Amino acid sequence: MNKKLYVISGSSGVGKGTVIKGFLEKNPHFTLSISCTTRTPRPGEANGVNYFFLTKKEFQECIEQDKFLEWAEFAGNFYGTKQKYIHQCLEEGKNLILEIDTQGALQVKKRWPEAVLIFICPPSFEDLEKRLRGRHTEDESTIQKRLNEAKVELERAESFDYKIVNDDLEKAIKTLEDVINKEMADA
């Protein structure tokens, strides 16, 4: 059976990581893709497990050699997904989930039209703002930046294949399973 690449995006604070984690716990035959980054590893992170950690020079060389399926710069660091890694995982028969931002997801769709794009939505914009403020982890200017970015991401989501509203975690996980099962059946 053909394996597909599932690209999952969503605004900061929407709970996409939690939805994906819940999905992977129930579907261990799926693999979460590992991205490359130039940022410094955080305590407990390991190369090849959480990210492939590259120097800025190495990352730049990969860009010049067109090795990335998608890449972006965020907060002074680069993030990207190597094409070879995706091909290798799919050739090994892995069902692959790529968790990236909307901009990267649309880059993937251009280069890999058969990729399935799934956007995790908040129940409402007001709810998203409440979630971001409720974390108490960021100052007001950072929250405003995230909210402005969320507006852009919600517009980009119109180009996605599916949108899943995360108003109830178990329901969102089940909907993600339904979407992926439908796509697998159509493969």
Side-chain angles (χ1 to χ4, degrees):
M1 175 177 7
N2 275 350
K3 300 297 177 186
K4 285 188 179 182
L5 176 60
Y6 299 92
V7 181
I8 301 178
S9 297
S11 304
S12 179
V14 79
K16 68 184 166 297
T18 307
V19 172
I20 292 169
K21 184 176 183 241
F23 173 83
L24 291 172
E25 285 171 0
K26 294 179 178 189
N27 297 276
H29 55 287
F30 275 80
T31 302
L32 186 61
S33 174
I34 303 169
S35 297
C36 299
T37 186
T38 58
R39 77 160 171 74
T40 306
R42 293 179 182 140
E45 288 185 332
N47 189 47
V49 176
N50 305 95
Y51 283 98
F52 295 111
F53 293 98
L54 304 177
T55 65
K56 286 192 177 181
K57 183 178 187 288
E58 290 169 330
F59 201 100
Q60 194 61 45
E61 288 170 359
C62 289
I63 293 170
E64 290 166 9
Q65 297 166 12
D66 197 32
K67 291 187 175 183
F68 289 114
L69 181 58
E70 60 82 28
W71 67 272
E73 184 178 3
F74 181 74
N77 291 302
F78 290 92
Y79 296 84
T81 307
K82 284 193 176 181
Q83 295 184 65
K84 184 178 179 181
Y85 171 78
I86 298 297
H87 282 286
Q88 183 180 337
C89 287
L90 294 173
E91 284 171 10
E92 290 171 2
K94 294 178 180 172
N95 294 299
L96 200 57
I97 291 178
L98 181 55
E99 179 187 351
I100 55 174
D101 72 358
T102 54
Q103 189 176 350
L106 295 176
Q107 286 179 38
V108 169
K109 193 69 168 178
K110 277 186 184 158
R111 297 184 80 147
W112 199 299
E114 63 273 19
V116 178
L117 271 52
I118 303 166
F119 188 82
I120 308 295
C121 305
S124 69
F125 195 78
E126 293 73 26
D127 188 69
L128 179 63
E129 183 173 0
K130 217 181 292 173
R131 288 182 190 186
L132 287 173
R133 292 186 185 287
R135 297 197 288 195
H136 302 291
T137 56
E138 296 157 333
D139 62 26
E140 184 60 27
S141 75
T142 304
I143 289 171
Q144 287 305 318
K145 249 187 246 178
R146 291 198 185 280
L147 291 171
N148 289 334
E149 181 62 27
K151 288 177 186 170
V152 173
E153 290 172 331
L154 288 165
E155 288 173 20
R156 288 184 189 137
E158 295 305 312
S159 301
F160 279 53
D161 300 304
Y162 299 93
K163 288 187 256 180
I164 297 171
V165 177
N166 185 16
D167 55 354
D168 173 271
L169 180 59
E170 288 307 313
K171 191 171 107 187
I173 293 168
K174 175 75 171 93
T175 304
L176 179 57
E177 284 180 313
D178 292 346
V179 163
I180 291 178
N181 286 336
K182 177 193 178 302
E183 285 292 329
M184 290 176 77
D186 292 346

